[in-house]
Amino acid sequence: MNNKKIVFICGGGDSLVRFRLEFIKRFLEQSYEVYAYAPEIRDEFLEELLKLNVKFEKISFQRKNLNPVNTFKSIIDITQKLKLHKPDVVFSYTHKSVVIGSICAYLAKVKSSYSLITGTGHIFDGDTLKQRIQRIIGILGFKIALRFNQKVFFQNPDDLKLFARLKVVSSQRSVLVNGSGVNLELFSVKPLPEEPIFLCLSRLIKSKGLIEYAKAAAITKKKFPSAKFLLYGFPDDHYDSIDEQEIIDNWHSDFGIEYLGFSENPIDTISKCSVYVLLSYNEGTPRSVLEAMSMGRPIITTHVSGCRETVKEEFNGFLVPHKDYEYAASCMMKLMDPELRSKMGKASRIYCEQKYNVHEVNSILLKEMEII
């Protein structure tokens, strides 16, 4: 008897290892043959997949390009691959991958198709003519594609309510899960440094709240010169990207930010901090925050979709109003107290164990997909 097959479709292959590896392993445990489609993947992450006997297929796909010709080419390429591999299940995540992956699964007559909405991204940003057109296209794309899914998974209640209000997907096919979860064993508790060291891990784009992080750091450092502010990040070709050279040249002198480039190992990086900060404008559920919680770090994040669910106010951290860097600075100053950092760090781990255990999150997904 042939094993069943599943295809994962996403906009970046690295995320298959960084965010979905435990989920992939659950399918392998169920004797599924696993394929992964993405436009690119770093060699070290590809090796991880190949060790598990996951078959990787590079696809014609540009996640930030709305050119209809390129989109049509992507649909043809992915549909042909699906017809060749004949999967029983397709699981798509990240915005454009959800739209194109769901349509291709339908065209290839795949029996079961599922999508994970990892945030609304930038389709609801701004009000220029171009942004309004992109918003209309984005919503229409979701409406067309998600009708082909058996279930659509949401990482936070705000996104689920938004899609319901816009009549993108019915409530009967919508399922709320607690983000992607986090591996509590891998991201185990590490001792807090005695010094007040604040950390942000992020793509170098404004909507991750990096300007607010820098301004809050400058205010805090003026009053508490001993505070350190670390930023690990990497450039992203995005309409609101921040020039990496600008950060390298000016952010230390202007804001007191120590920029350390791309983090190869998030566990080692998070171990260096005593407080984790993410002042993002919008998220599905921020994975870096979950990792920091799991490792016992207090959290400062924004009171916006996806982020607000990770913090119980004054229990494991603080919630900051959107773009309010002065309030963020006041929260940083409160966490100059080492006893409060220790108390909230322990609370983060407890809250993470209660809500974000990756194995429990994956079990919900698998049950809803009728895999187990």
Side-chain angles (χ1 to χ4, degrees):
M1 182 177 175
N2 292 331
N3 291 341
K4 288 189 174 183
K5 300 177 184 178
I6 181 170
V7 170
F8 287 86
I9 302 176
C10 63
D14 294 3
S15 69
L16 292 160
V17 176
R18 283 280 289 115
F19 305 145
R20 308 279 167 244
L21 195 60
E22 297 300 328
F23 192 42
I24 288 171
K25 287 178 180 177
R26 293 291 292 271
F27 282 93
L28 294 170
E29 289 168 6
Q30 296 294 320
S31 299
Y32 270 73
E33 194 173 341
V34 178
Y35 291 80
Y37 295 2
E40 80 285 316
I41 187 170
R42 286 195 291 163
D43 290 343
E44 59 266 36
F45 290 133
L46 178 58
E47 287 178 17
E48 287 284 321
L49 293 179
L50 295 178
K51 284 178 188 175
L52 294 172
N53 202 29
V54 173
K55 299 167 182 65
F56 180 80
E57 289 282 340
K58 189 173 183 179
I59 53 175
S60 171
F61 187 90
Q62 296 176 344
R63 65 188 178 95
K64 294 172 186 172
N65 191 319
L66 294 177
N67 184 302
V69 174
N70 290 332
T71 300
F72 186 63
K73 287 179 180 177
S74 296
I75 290 172
I76 292 174
D77 178 42
I78 296 170
T79 302
Q80 287 177 339
K81 284 181 169 62
L82 290 174
K83 286 181 176 179
L84 175 66
H85 296 135
K86 296 181 172 59
D88 301 276
V89 182
V90 166
F91 187 91
S92 307
Y93 66 95
T94 65
H95 303 147
K96 193 173 179 181
S97 307
V98 162
V99 173
I100 291 180
S102 299
I103 291 171
C104 293
Y106 171 75
L107 294 175
K109 296 182 170 58
V110 176
K111 181 182 176 183
S112 300
S113 177
Y114 301 90
S115 291
L116 175 66
I117 306 301
T118 55
T120 56
H122 297 275
I123 64 171
F124 294 96
D125 288 353
D127 205 37
T128 66
L129 177 60
K130 181 180 179 181
Q131 287 168 326
R132 288 202 299 269
I133 292 171
Q134 288 177 336
R135 182 153 53 247
I136 292 168
I137 293 171
I139 293 170
L140 180 61
F142 276 128
K143 281 187 175 182
I144 293 169
L146 296 184
R147 62 197 293 258
F148 302 130
N149 288 171
Q150 274 63 47
K151 295 279 177 70
V152 180
F153 300 102
F154 293 85
Q155 293 193 328
N156 68 68
D158 293 315
D159 290 349
L160 189 153
K161 290 173 186 174
L162 175 64
F163 276 53
R165 180 170 59 81
L166 295 173
K167 298 182 180 179
V168 173
V169 63
S170 67
S171 59
Q172 292 87 347
R173 292 187 296 116
S174 301
V175 180
L176 180 65
V177 293
N178 291 326
S180 299
V182 64
N183 187 324
L184 297 169
E185 294 78 31
L186 182 62
F187 289 88
S188 58
V189 175
K190 297 292 189 293
L192 286 176
E194 292 182 6
E195 315 96 291
I197 303 174
F198 298 82
L199 167 69
C200 179
L201 279 161
S202 172
R203 289 181 290 148
L204 301 182
I205 56 177
K206 293 176 185 175
S207 56
K208 291 296 182 182
L210 297 187
I211 302 295
E212 289 75 19
Y213 176 59
K215 289 181 177 179
I219 293 171
T220 305
K221 201 161 180 64
K222 192 173 289 186
K223 191 167 183 179
F224 295 95
S226 64
K228 292 183 180 179
F229 296 89
L230 310 182
L231 172 61
Y232 283 80
F234 56 96
D236 194 358
D237 180 19
H238 202 273
Y239 79 89
D240 73 340
S241 63
I242 302 172
D243 180 45
E244 185 179 36
Q245 197 59 49
E246 161 72 15
I247 294 173
I248 293 169
D249 291 343
N250 299 318
W251 278 33
H252 187 265
S253 58
D254 292 351
F255 304 112
I257 298 288
E258 297 179 39
Y259 178 64
L260 298 160
F262 178 70
S263 171
E264 294 284 352
N265 188 324
I267 296 173
D268 288 347
T269 301
I270 294 170
S271 296
K272 295 175 183 176
C273 80
S274 46
V275 180
Y276 188 77
V277 184
L278 182 70
L279 302 177
S280 183
Y281 299 173
N282 178 283
E283 294 283 341
T285 296
R287 180 59 178 258
S288 65
V289 170
L290 301 190
E291 292 169 351
M293 289 170 65
S294 184
M295 292 177 65
R297 268 56 188 168
I299 305 298
I300 299 174
T301 192
T302 29
H303 204 314
V304 298
S305 298
C307 294
R308 65 168 65 96
E309 285 76 27
T310 63
V311 167
K312 290 183 179 179
E313 184 70 23
E314 297 190 14
F315 174 68
N316 69 310
F318 298 100
L319 291 171
V320 177
H322 181 226
K323 293 188 178 182
D324 192 340
Y325 63 87
E326 291 181 336
Y327 189 85
S330 71
C331 296
M332 291 172 175
M333 292 181 199
K334 288 177 183 177
L335 283 167
M336 291 300 295
D337 178 356
E339 290 186 8
L340 185 60
R341 291 199 298 269
S342 177
K343 177 184 174 183
M344 286 189 167
K346 291 173 183 175
S348 272
R349 175 68 185 197
I350 292 169
Y351 190 34
C352 198
E353 289 174 351
Q354 292 172 344
K355 189 173 181 179
Y356 294 110
N357 185 326
V358 69
H359 304 302
E360 294 176 4
V361 172
N362 287 342
S363 290
I364 292 170
L365 290 168
L366 292 168
K367 286 174 184 175
E368 291 289 343
M369 295 169 69
E370 299 182 357
I371 305 298
I372 59 174

